Amino acid sequence: MTSYAQTMARDYELGGKAAVAAMIAALFAGSTALTPLYIIYKQAFGFSQVTLTLVYAVYVVGNLGALLFFGRVSDVIGRRPAALAAMGVAVVSAVFFLFAENLAWLDIARILSGLGIGVGAGAGTAWLAELIEGKDKSRAAIITTSTNFIGLGVGALMAGLLAQYAPWPLRLTFAVYLILLALVTVLIWRTRETVSSPGRFSDVSLRPRLSVPDNVRAQFVAPAVTGFGAMALVGFYAALAPSILAQQLHVTNHAEAGGLFFELSIVAAATIVGTARLSARSTMLAALALMIPAVALVVAAQIYASMALMIAATAVCGAAAALGYRGGLQVVNQIAPDDRRAEVVSVFFICCFCGNALPVIGIGVLSGLASATMASLAFAGMIIVFSMVALGFGAKYAR
């Protein structure tokens, strides 16, 4: 009887980890569902390339709002209530996308998507670390980051296939996504709470109070810098790849656009799992080194209008982003105090989300003033300089 009870408990714990991983994947899938649809929205609503990149980047407003004001909320009220709230916000975001009639609807939907991801990513990452028994928190980072990238890839691929081969491309994608969110919400509802004495929402201070404890602040710098660079690379690719395909490579198939981002995400997830035995420090330094050939290949694909180079660039971008994101998060999970884990993880995500959005805004503005190729060259130069500086910094301080 005892053996049966232990088996049931183990199965329940496995189900809980799977549910939290599915939540993280579902939330991030909503952020890339637009990737193959940007060109359709651009034609339907008549906005410029600058506006397109701003639509991509505006979700950082929701990210930062969530992390600044609600970064500690799951530490106080519990992981499950915070996760359910994040799923609710994602549902509202999907409804705005479903009925979008103009640019304002898209902006609101993107901000809400960022808000849901900001709350859910911090709560889900801390929840997984606590559901995994033992002191080895690297498993939590591997599960979180791999499912994150799988969600990003599945969201883009699903939207691309539906946009190309099904009716109502700007509606059906989000109708299907709403069904997915409903299923995942049920799973989260059934997952065990890990905060021992959760309080009430009224106990949460809404004053921005995110910080990194003094005793781990020096250790936090290296993963923060690496996370910023890794997600800047993903943002550059996600925002500009559809336009490069349409304008330079003359590819108009939306499924191909979604498939390329799916390639990036699957390569990223495979890289995370395949390099699980690498130390966090080695992983971060490898990511910074790979960023240089990654951006060089993207620009080369754009200049020479080569699909072969674009496919190679996609793979290298995926590997570099995966190593940077996983290595950084692994260090953060290891150094964060138990009672402030969600808070410290949220600070790390702020660095990642800023990297994902802010450089893309600059590229959008520059592409309006000069050519798209010149904008890409400027971004590539920035990433190369950043990577060289960060490599020197990381080699000295990332121990």
Side-chain angles (χ1 to χ4, degrees), residues 64-82:
L64 296 181
L67 296 172
L68 286 173
F69 294 102
F70 303 110
R72 296 183 64 252
V73 69
S74 76
D75 288 335
V76 178
I77 69 172
R79 311 303 182 201
R80 182 166 53 190

Side-chain angles (χ1 to χ4, degrees), residues 35-208:
T35 297
L37 305 181
Y38 281 130
I39 300 301
I40 303 177
Y41 278 119
K42 186 177 178 181
Q43 295 168 348
F45 296 162
F47 51 71
S48 66
Q49 181 66 31
V50 176
T51 303
L52 187 151
T53 53
L54 289 174
V55 170
Y56 173 83
V58 74
Y59 90 112
V60 78
V61 174
N63 293 150
L64 296 181
L67 296 172
L68 286 173
F69 294 102
F70 303 110
R72 296 183 64 252
V73 69
S74 76
D75 288 335
V76 178
I77 69 172
R79 311 303 182 201
R80 182 166 53 190
L84 290 172
M87 295 300 291
V89 173
V91 166
V92 177
S93 168
V95 170
F96 268 88
F97 279 125
L98 181 63
F99 296 107
E101 297 290 343
N102 53 46
L103 184 61
W105 286 66
L106 292 182
D107 285 337
I108 293 170
R110 287 288 285 170
I111 290 170
L112 289 173
S113 176
L115 182 64
I117 290 172
V119 173
T125 301
W127 204 356
L128 269 177
E130 291 159 355
L131 284 170
I132 294 175
E133 297 178 356
K135 295 185 179 296
D136 182 12
K137 300 305 180 186
S138 63
R139 285 180 58 205
I142 291 169
I143 294 171
T144 300
T145 51
S146 59
T147 52
N148 178 334
F149 280 109
I150 289 171
L152 291 173
V154 169
L157 181 63
M158 175 190 72
L161 290 171
L162 292 175
Q164 186 66 35
Y165 302 114
W168 317 299
L170 301 182
R171 311 289 185 194
L172 188 59
T173 294
F174 298 104
V176 172
Y177 183 53
L178 280 168
I179 295 172
L180 173 65
L181 290 175
L183 293 174
V184 173
T185 300
V186 172
L187 296 177
I188 288 298
W189 180 268
R190 295 169 55 85
T191 301
R192 176 176 68 87
E193 178 60 67
T194 54
V195 174
S196 56
S197 301
R200 296 172 298 178
F201 186 78
S202 58
D203 298 327
V204 179
S205 172
L206 296 183
R207 289 181 302 170

